[in-house]
Amino acid sequence: MTSRLEALCLEKGLKMTGQRRVISQVLSEADDHPDVEEVHRRAVRIDPRISIATVYRTMRLLEDAQVIERVDLGDGRARYEEATADHHHHLIDTRTGRIIEFASPELESMKERIARELGYKIVGHRLEIYGVPLDEDERP
Amino acid sequence: MTSRLEALCLEKGLKMTGQRRVISQVLSEADDHPDVEEVHRRAVRIDPRISIATVYRTMRLLEDAQVIERVDLGDGRARYEEATADHHHHLIDTRTGRIIEFASPELESMKERIARELGYKIVGHRLEIYGVPLDEDERP
DNA sequence: TCTGGGATTGCGAACGATTTTCAGTATGAT
DNA sequence: ATCATACTGAAAATCGTTCGCAATCCCAGA
Ligand SMILES: [Mn+2]
Ligand SMILES: [Mn+2]
Ligand SMILES: [Zn+2]
Ligand SMILES: [Zn+2]
């Protein structure tokens, strides 16, 4: 009954309200990258007395607490996903909007090397690929 | 007297107005990544009768004409640079805001390979690195 | 060189995402 | 159960950007 995110909130000493419980549940159950409106839509289905302002506030709270991560996919709004141990990036199908996750240790170390050569230590980075499906005959 | 961008606009058959001439000059002379407000500030210095709305419109026009490129550095506003033949990315110094450009053919081909393996053809991509200067003793 | 009409401009209003304000409400330590 | 305090809903404010509209400008054609 207690979602993973709810547990994390308690751990951080945050006051556990009904709306935070619901939003935590929604985010724990999500396996996609919902924006704030979508989180609100899903939350309202569980408890209609949740305002969009509270969703905005809670998303920021959880982001600051490093419990969720903001994903910027280029459309104007912020999307979110549960923070996981394994770092990854996104390939966005520009025809369908489908989001494919991928990770590449080689790419990460190449990026580290580039920063070091420029005299910098990485504190954050962002990488997204936008693409369309390959034609049948060019599949690897 | 005729800036590089002005020439490009004429080539594309765009009507050459006073404000477009000034904005083209500002962008041709810029060697950084100004946002719209900054372009407006510089344009007004040359000719005070240029409105911010016209700058917004002209930036979009030039972007659509592929004469300039939009750069999204994560702060809320759009930044721009002259479109060049050579593709590159940005490393942002989070302490000073300084922007360092870099290019990496290896990184580009690795990115192509990843997309192909996922069954996709790349139509666009974005990569930014945020970092802080290395300490003296960890310089390569 | 002069002219007509479509393209362009300046202004302010409208916009969409997000934040803030504020008065009322709920939480959790006591 | 009480109470201080943190949290909430609703609406207003903010920020970057776009739009509507009447006035103005550019330039192909005369
Ligand atoms: Mn993801
Ligand atoms: Mn650049
Ligand atoms: Zn990465
Ligand atoms: Zn690239």
Side-chain angles (χ1 to χ4, degrees):
Chain A
M1 198 93 229
T2 306
S3 70
R4 206 186 76 83
L5 289 189
E6 185 180 337
L8 277 170
C9 288
L10 290 168
E11 240 171 72
K12 307 247 176 192
L14 302 175
K15 194 176 276 192
M16 191 42 60
T17 66
Q19 6 313 57
R20 285 185 184 170
R21 231 184 297 277
V22 170
I23 293 169
S24 295
Q25 184 191 331
V26 165
L27 292 170
S28 290
E29 288 173 356
D31 62 336
D32 52 351
H33 303 79
D35 60 24
V36 174
E37 296 263 11
E38 181 60 31
V39 173
H40 182 236
R41 225 172 282 129
R42 295 179 194 179
V44 163
R45 253 178 250 144
I46 300 172
D47 181 343
R49 60 182 160 177
I50 293 180
S51 80
I52 187 80
T54 294
V55 179
Y56 270 108
R57 275 189 287 244
T58 305
M59 299 309 274
R60 192 137 72 112
L61 185 82
L62 296 177
E63 189 189 355
D64 291 348
Q66 319 232 43
V67 164
I68 60 176
E69 273 170 20
R70 181 197 299 258
V71 184
D72 176 1
L73 299 184
D75 55 354
R77 60 224 123 133
R79 297 170 165 275
Y80 293 89
E81 66 187 338
E82 223 178 314
T84 56
D86 42 311
H87 170 75
H88 67 269
H89 292 280
H90 301 99
L91 187 159
I92 299 95
D93 185 323
T94 55
R95 295 227 179 101
T96 66
R98 185 181 162 217
I99 296 171
I100 296 158
E101 305 190 322
F102 68 87
S104 167
E106 306 100 294
L107 201 142
E108 299 296 333
S109 58
M110 182 167 293
K111 171 207 78 190
E112 292 289 346
R113 210 200 61 221
I114 290 170
R116 185 154 12 86
E117 279 169 5
L118 293 170
Y120 277 83
K121 191 184 318 183
I122 293 182
V123 299
H125 69 291
R126 174 159 61 170
L127 165 65
E128 289 110 42
I129 297 177
Y130 299 87
V132 294
L134 285 169
D135 299 330
E136 290 288 346
D137 58 318
E138 29 184 38
R139 296 256 170 72
Chain B
M1 201 93 222
T2 306
S3 68
R4 209 187 73 83
L5 288 190
E6 185 179 339
L8 277 170
C9 288
L10 289 168
E11 241 172 71
K12 306 246 177 193
L14 301 176
K15 191 178 279 193
M16 192 44 59
T17 66
Q19 6 313 57
R20 285 184 185 172
R21 229 183 299 274
V22 170
I23 294 168
S24 295
Q25 184 192 331
V26 165
L27 293 171
S28 290
E29 288 172 357
D31 62 336
D32 51 351
H33 302 81
D35 60 25
V36 173
E37 296 261 14
E38 181 58 32
V39 173
H40 182 235
R41 224 172 282 130
R42 296 180 194 178
V44 162
R45 252 178 251 145
I46 300 172
D47 181 345
R49 58 183 162 176
I50 293 180
S51 81
I52 187 81
T54 295
V55 179
Y56 270 108
R57 275 189 286 243
T58 306
M59 299 310 275
R60 192 137 71 114
L61 184 82
L62 297 178
E63 190 189 353
D64 291 348
Q66 318 233 44
V67 166
I68 60 175
E69 275 171 16
R70 180 195 300 258
V71 184
D72 176 2
L73 299 184
D75 55 355
R77 57 226 127 129
R79 296 170 166 275
Y80 294 89
E81 66 188 337
E82 222 178 312
T84 56
D86 42 311
H87 169 74
H88 66 268
H89 292 280
H90 301 99
L91 187 159
I92 299 96
D93 185 323
T94 54
R95 295 226 177 100
T96 66
R98 185 183 162 215
I99 296 172
I100 296 158
E101 305 190 321
F102 68 87
S104 167
E106 308 98 294
L107 201 143
E108 300 294 335
S109 59
M110 181 167 293
K111 171 207 78 190
E112 293 288 347
R113 211 201 62 221
I114 290 171
R116 184 153 15 86
E117 279 170 4
L118 293 170
Y120 278 82
K121 193 183 322 184
I122 293 181
V123 301
H125 68 290
R126 174 159 61 168
L127 165 65
E128 288 111 43
I129 298 178
Y130 299 87
V132 294
L134 285 170
D135 299 331
E136 291 288 344
D137 58 318
E138 30 186 37
R139 296 257 169 71

